[in-house]
């Protein structure tokens, strides 16, 4: 069974700061998702990664398959980035996801 | 890309009652899943909804408590039966094709 760990659990940043959220997993995967969960509970998919790096606007996601580690970066953070960020590992040869507990980000103006 | 909608988006229910949550995908998908997120916890897989047959439940989840239907390739329902306050959670529908995964907006359930 894959164990997915995220750090930090909580993060408070000043507007404009560069933010990094980390995710590690214990078993080889076929892909890793980064999700954003808003206070109302709705979930939005940000990235799906199987290797390397992806960028969308101010968000950057990287993955190191050998080290079983992924990071989500937010550049020039803004209060509207405040949400819970969740990583989820997709097992090799599987459709099922194992989710981390999430990182609660608060960006203060 | 597929878009998933869930109904209701939130509900407040009385102990002992049942609630059915609907999940609709705007295109055909291979797999559909139901997850639960209890307060302060990570999302946990309840079951895989199988089209035209009984759902496949994860350890700790049973059909009598969480009956699931999937009559076709784009629609599924999850019923939370005989609810107790411990069932207060976010319930999330997810779908997958061969190389993509999609997530619904979630249903926030509060049981009084």
């Amino acid at each position: 069974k894959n164990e997915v760990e995220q750090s930090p659990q909580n993060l408070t940043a000043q507007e404009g700061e560069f933010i990094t959220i980390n995710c590690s997993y214990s078993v080889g995967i076929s892909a890793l998702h980064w999700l954003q969960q808003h206070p109302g509970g709705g979930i939005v998919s940000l990235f799906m990664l199987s290797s390397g790096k992806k960028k969308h606007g101010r968000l950057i996601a990287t993955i190191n398959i050998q080290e079983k580690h992924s990071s989500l970066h937010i550049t020039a953070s803004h209060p509207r980035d405040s949400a819970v960020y969740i990583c989820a590992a997709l097992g090799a040869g599987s459709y099922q996801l194992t989710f981390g507990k999430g990182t609660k980000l608060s960006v203060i103006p | 890309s597929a878009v998933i909608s869930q109904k209701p988006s939130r509900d407040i229910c009385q102990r002992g009652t049942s609630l059915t949550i609907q999940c609709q995908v705007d295109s055909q998908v291979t797999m559909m899943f139901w997850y639960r997120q209890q307060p302060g916890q990570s999302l946990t897989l309840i079951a895989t909804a199988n089209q035209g047959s009984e759902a496949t439940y994860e350890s700790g989840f049973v059909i009598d408590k969480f009956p699931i239907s999937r009559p076709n390739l784009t629609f599924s329902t999850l019923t939370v039966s005989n609810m107790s306050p411990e069932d207060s959670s976010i319930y999330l529908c997810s779908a997958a094709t061969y190389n993509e995964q999609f997530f619904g907006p979630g249903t926030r359930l509060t049981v009084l």
Side-chain angles (χ1 to χ4, degrees):
Chain A
K1 183 184 173 184
N2 211 346
E3 302 289 335
V4 178
E5 300 287 339
Q6 281 186 243
S7 63
Q9 284 187 302
N10 293 282
L11 180 57
T12 300
Q14 292 289 327
E15 184 173 356
E17 284 186 3
F18 180 84
I19 288 163
T20 296
I21 299 170
N22 295 299
C23 176
S24 61
Y25 50 93
S26 59
V27 178
I29 62 172
S30 61
L32 186 126
H33 290 262
W34 281 101
L35 311 172
Q36 181 189 55
Q37 185 173 36
H38 290 283
I43 287 182
V44 175
S45 178
L46 299 174
F47 295 103
M48 185 176 78
L49 289 164
S50 55
S51 65
K53 179 168 95 171
K54 286 191 176 180
K55 184 176 189 290
H56 185 252
R58 295 180 294 107
L59 302 178
I60 303 166
T62 63
I63 189 167
N64 185 319
I65 297 295
Q66 287 72 33
E67 294 187 3
K68 296 186 177 62
H69 181 268
S70 177
S71 293
L72 176 69
H73 306 285
I74 304 175
T75 62
S77 60
H78 190 276
R80 65 174 174 266
D81 297 325
S82 298
V84 175
Y85 292 84
I86 301 170
C87 69
L90 181 64
S94 170
Y95 286 99
Q96 293 183 8
L97 292 164
T98 303
F99 292 84
K101 286 192 175 182
T103 296
K104 185 176 181 180
L105 171 65
S106 300
V107 181
I108 300 169
Chain B
S1 183
V3 176
I4 300 178
S5 58
Q6 281 185 237
K7 285 193 228 180
S9 58
R10 57 177 61 226
D11 207 342
I12 301 173
C13 300
Q14 295 297 320
R15 179 196 299 260
T17 62
S18 298
L19 176 72
T20 296
I21 303 168
Q22 298 181 359
C23 176
Q24 179 73 57
V25 190
D26 69 350
S27 60
Q28 291 187 352
V29 290
T30 307
M31 309 289 284
M32 294 182 75
F33 306 96
W34 287 98
Y35 292 89
R36 179 178 74 179
Q37 185 182 37
Q38 293 178 301
Q41 301 298 312
S42 57
L43 285 149
T44 302
L45 181 64
I46 297 172
T48 302
N50 300 310
Q51 192 253 328
S53 64
E54 193 172 286
T56 303
Y57 290 84
E58 297 300 302
S59 176
F61 298 96
V62 295
I63 187 171
D64 289 345
K65 177 66 177 177
F66 298 103
I68 287 170
S69 78
R70 187 181 173 194
N72 56 50
L73 291 173
T74 64
F75 184 79
S76 178
T77 66
L78 167 75
T79 298
V80 186
S81 303
N82 188 25
M83 289 184 285
S84 67
E86 292 71 38
D87 295 318
S88 297
S89 298
I90 293 171
Y91 292 86
L92 180 73
C93 174
S94 170
T97 59
Y98 172 69
N99 59 356
E100 287 187 280
Q101 295 229 321
F102 313 99
F103 302 92
T107 295
R108 182 181 290 274
L109 171 62
T110 302
V111 184
L112 302 178

